[in-house]
Amino acid sequence: MRKSSKTALGGIIAALSLTLMLLSTVIPFLTYVLPAMAGIILMIMVIEIGRKWALVAYAAVSILSLLILADKETALMYVAFFGYYPIAKSVIEEKLPAVWEYIVKFLLFNVAVVTAYVLILYVFRLPVEGLDTFGKWTIPLLLLMANVMFFLFDYTLSKLVSIYMSVWRKWFRKTFK
């Protein structure tokens, strides 16, 4: 692919990702789904033109999301985890054996989620509803549920990459020469 084609693809992917992020103002209950979908789109860049180009698109969407999104929680979820995870996933799966792969992925996820919520609560001072619902067990239960959802997200992302490679890639390469 020529450099101009890579740049155009990066712009298209970044625009699609930012559009998904902007939908959080219209559909506020998709605070976690929309950043995840925006990150998944970056997987196309990782596969087709490389991690460096995907990192540039991630940086652009991150900066713009933090600047223009009304829902800072959605923006932080993208910046802290969902935006770079497809890129990190490709590196982790390429470099590590399966057992270490899952340990590193879960460690990365947990550090990112805890960091994001520390920022949300103490830096941005955004209210997070329901943190006292189950008393002292609320945060551990939420973290456990988040880890289950992360496992499903990682599994789904792997399946989407397989589908892309076997079905959509031929169409994509014909369309974006």
Side-chain angles (χ1 to χ4, degrees):
M1 209 180 257
R2 294 183 309 251
K3 193 171 185 175
S4 59
S5 297
K6 290 178 182 181
T7 304
L9 178 62
I12 291 168
I13 296 291
L16 284 171
S17 292
L18 190 59
T19 302
L20 285 169
M21 296 297 290
L22 286 168
L23 280 175
S24 68
T25 58
V26 180
I27 314 169
F29 58 87
L30 295 178
T31 300
Y32 305 106
V33 174
L34 292 171
M37 289 172 62
I40 288 170
I41 292 173
L42 288 179
M43 202 64 183
I44 295 171
M45 288 190 71
V46 172
I47 293 168
E48 295 299 336
I49 58 177
R51 294 180 193 119
K52 288 179 185 176
W53 286 87
L55 277 171
V56 171
Y58 159 72
V61 173
S62 295
I63 292 167
L64 290 170
S65 293
L66 287 169
L67 290 174
I68 64 176
L69 248 66
D71 186 357
K72 296 301 180 203
E73 185 177 5
T74 301
L76 279 172
M77 285 295 111
Y78 181 83
V79 171
F81 183 72
F82 289 114
Y84 70 82
Y85 181 70
I87 302 163
K89 176 180 172 65
S90 71
V91 172
I92 292 167
E93 290 179 352
E94 181 181 299
K95 306 271 186 206
L96 297 175
V99 173
W100 283 103
E101 179 182 309
Y102 280 102
I103 292 170
V104 170
K105 285 178 184 179
F106 276 95
L107 184 63
L108 177 68
F109 173 73
N110 284 287
V111 167
V113 167
V114 169
T115 302
Y117 274 99
V118 165
L119 289 172
I120 287 168
L121 292 171
Y122 298 110
V123 175
F124 290 100
R125 301 223 179 255
L126 297 175
V128 178
E129 298 170 15
L131 278 183
D132 57 354
T133 306
F134 297 107
K136 68 179 182 179
W137 296 104
T138 301
I139 292 177
L141 283 172
L142 287 173
L143 202 52
L144 175 67
M145 289 188 301
N147 277 281
V148 170
M149 294 310 296
F150 167 68
F151 175 78
L152 294 172
F153 173 70
D154 183 64
Y155 178 78
T156 303
L157 186 55
S158 295
K159 291 300 177 188
L160 285 172
V161 168
S162 296
I163 292 168
Y164 176 79
M165 295 299 284
S166 63
V167 178
W168 300 332
R169 192 172 196 195
K170 292 173 192 168
W171 173 84
F172 181 87
R173 289 204 164 180
K174 263 197 303 191
T175 306
F176 295 96
K177 292 179 184 174

